[in-house]
Amino acid sequence: MRNNKVALIVVDALRFDTACSHMGFMQHLIERKMAARYEVCSEVPSLSRPLYETILTGTPPIVHGVTSNMTVRLSVQNSLFHLAKSNGLTTAAAAYYWVSELYNRAPFMHMEDRLQFDTQLPIENGLFYFEDHYPDSHLFADAVWLMDQKQPDFLYIHPMNVDDDGHKFTSDSLQYRNRVLAVDALLSMFIPKCMAQGYEIIVTADHGMTRDGNHGGTTAEDRHVPLFVISNYVKAGIKNGIVSQLQIAPLCCHLLNIEPSEEMVPLLLEGVHALKKA
């Protein structure tokens, strides 16, 4: 069996309903039967650092122990980066510095850790930013550089501007909605590049955003996020029902064709096909 390449894109604070109404390119892929869309309910607390860890390890906060944004330490779980490396695959990330603190080095040293290229680390090739307003356009350009120059098997991309505008202006604002339009436009340029290089592509979010300009609670505004999958191994179309965020990590393992960790739940997503032999 061959290994696939996977690009996992986590758009920070992208609500499910706003993704459905404002991401025209992603809807185009669905209508052309090139993408699947699921509705995901995040774990709680619906905060960024705990849910980065949940997405990348497939474990809930009570298990992985990162229960707030103030928990600054390396992960003690088997993340997708660790699993990829143990299977001889290469890893890369263009992401917020909290991701580096979870998997490479903690605490993050701002003047030293922005660029990380070390094959001994779980994230072998890392371009990390530390300002929430770091432009998404630059972040996707960083990801393209990693894809072209390092050709990672597992590439993690994490833009922050949707979250930044949600906190500044609330989810019920033209700024938030326009930022979702803007990230969709960036995806319309980035995703074809990924497809041309043979990546299976996942687009999701850690949590949502409320009309109060925050997140962390239990409402659908806080917790319901999209999951788009562009893969020959996932049947295209809009899926009914709500799925657990814990499904994302085992889905990545399935698409990478590696064994999930013992802590991950079984993969139960509708429409997922078995991988074909090389």
Side-chain angles (χ1 to χ4, degrees), residues 183-202:
V183 79
D184 182 69
L186 290 169
L187 289 169
S188 75
M189 295 184 284
F190 182 71
I191 285 176
K193 290 182 178 293
C194 286
M195 296 173 68
Q197 295 201 29
Y199 281 88
E200 315 296 317
I201 304 160
I202 298 170

Side-chain angles (χ1 to χ4, degrees), residues 5-20:
K5 297 190 295 184
V6 170
L8 172 58
I9 304 165
V10 177
V11 181
D12 211 285
L14 175 62
R15 284 171 51 140
F16 176 76
D17 54 358
T18 313
C20 293

Side-chain angles (χ1 to χ4, degrees), residues 19-233:
C20 293
S21 61
H22 283 68
M23 300 190 85
F25 175 71
M26 300 307 297
Q27 180 62 27
H28 170 67
L29 295 177
I30 293 168
E31 292 181 2
R32 300 308 302 170
K33 302 189 185 308
M34 297 176 66
R37 190 189 77 198
Y38 301 83
E39 183 173 358
V40 167
C41 183
S42 81
E43 290 293 302
V44 282
S46 50
L47 296 170
S48 294
R49 199 187 295 255
L51 298 185
Y52 302 163
E53 175 79 332
T54 287
I55 289 169
L56 286 161
T57 68
T59 58
I62 198 64
V63 172
H64 60 60
V66 182
T67 55
S68 80
N69 286 339
M70 296 178 286
T71 307
V72 181
R73 61 160 172 78
L74 289 173
S75 171
V76 297
Q77 298 295 313
N78 242 335
S79 75
L80 292 169
F81 299 112
H82 293 88
L83 292 170
K85 279 184 61 64
S86 68
N87 281 273
L89 305 181
T90 55
T91 62
Y96 195 56
Y97 76 101
W98 288 2
V99 176
S100 173
E101 288 184 324
L102 282 168
Y103 307 111
N104 275 11
R105 288 195 282 263
F108 185 87
M109 305 299 289
H110 289 65
M111 295 298 104
E112 300 171 16
D113 289 348
R114 173 162 158 69
L115 308 179
Q116 298 181 31
F117 302 102
D118 186 343
T119 58
Q120 300 304 307
L121 293 173
I123 305 173
E124 297 174 327
N125 305 287
L127 301 180
F128 299 103
Y129 62 96
F130 43 83
E131 300 285 357
D132 292 15
H133 57 270
Y134 183 74
D136 286 353
S137 57
H138 292 40
L139 185 278
F140 278 101
D142 292 342
V144 169
W145 186 89
L146 286 168
M147 191 166 56
D148 289 344
Q149 300 300 317
K150 300 299 182 178
Q151 300 179 341
D153 298 299
F154 178 59
L155 173 61
Y156 179 79
I157 304 108
H158 174 219
M160 183 65 78
N161 292 169
V162 172
D163 181 79
D164 190 39
D165 279 355
H167 285 304
K168 289 174 178 174
F169 306 107
T170 83
S171 66
D172 190 21
S173 67
L174 64 88
Q175 290 90 348
Y176 180 83
R177 292 187 291 271
N178 285 343
R179 186 61 67 183
V180 175
L181 287 171
V183 79
D184 182 69
L186 290 169
L187 289 169
S188 75
M189 295 184 284
F190 182 71
I191 285 176
K193 290 182 178 293
C194 286
M195 296 173 68
Q197 295 201 29
Y199 281 88
E200 315 296 317
I201 304 160
I202 298 170
V203 181
T204 189
D206 48 351
H207 52 71
M209 181 65 64
T210 71
R211 287 169 288 181
D212 295 332
N214 220 325
H215 52 85
T218 62
T219 70
E221 291 180 328
D222 289 281
R223 300 183 70 182
H224 286 211
V225 300
L227 171 62
F228 299 97
V229 186
I230 305 162
S231 170
N232 291 330
Y233 304 106

